[in-house]
Amino acid sequence: VQLVESGGGSVQAGGSLRLSCAASGYTYSRFCMAWFRQAAGKEREEVASIDGFLRTRYAESVRGRFTMSKDNDKNTLYLQMNSLAPEDTAMYYCAARTTYRTCPSGTAAFNAWGQGTQVTVSS
């Protein structure tokens, strides 16, 4: 299983970025996937998830600004991030549960992780 993120970068507050996560090595469309982020000195937190039934969940801090989507033909998960704020600055990680459809909360539920992509938002 391999998850490869891309799309991070530096933007000014109010800007947008789209993160991508290319998945390989398993049937990704059937199972839970999520985006997490970890800011310096803080714990890793879930940003958004989508389960095998296409139900999505967003953290309160990003709801209405971030949108997760999947392209099953490309085996790619996306995170469209709009109205970015300095507090969104973090390393963003793609994660997957490669054998379960549901998405429990917490990092321990996920058995596959990407290497991360840095997002930096300046004020």
Side-chain angles (χ1 to χ4, degrees), residues 51-92:
D51 68 15
F53 306 100
L54 300 183
R55 296 175 299 193
T56 56
R57 180 174 69 218
Y58 293 92
E60 185 63 33
S61 59
V62 306
R63 193 172 296 130
R65 300 188 298 124
F66 291 11
T67 303
M68 169 185 278
S69 61
K70 296 174 71 175
D71 185 332
N72 290 339
D73 290 338
K74 296 181 178 179
N75 282 3
T76 301
L77 180 73
Y78 300 100
L79 184 67
Q80 177 67 45
M81 306 186 295
N82 298 328
S83 301
L84 284 162
E87 51 265 36
D88 296 315
T89 295
M91 184 72 79
Y92 284 70

Side-chain angles (χ1 to χ4, degrees), residues 5-77:
E5 302 100 332
S6 61
S10 297
V11 296
Q12 290 190 328
S16 299
L17 285 172
R18 188 177 79 156
L19 305 183
S20 300
C21 172
S24 61
Y26 78 111
T27 309
Y28 106 115
S29 62
R30 298 182 183 178
F31 305 112
C32 166
M33 294 192 75
W35 286 99
F36 285 77
R37 68 185 180 186
Q38 188 166 19
K42 296 187 177 181
E43 293 187 353
R44 193 169 297 189
E45 63 174 357
E46 182 182 311
V47 175
S49 65
I50 182 166
D51 68 15
F53 306 100
L54 300 183
R55 296 175 299 193
T56 56
R57 180 174 69 218
Y58 293 92
E60 185 63 33
S61 59
V62 306
R63 193 172 296 130
R65 300 188 298 124
F66 291 11
T67 303
M68 169 185 278
S69 61
K70 296 174 71 175
D71 185 332
N72 290 339
D73 290 338
K74 296 181 178 179
N75 282 3
T76 301
L77 180 73

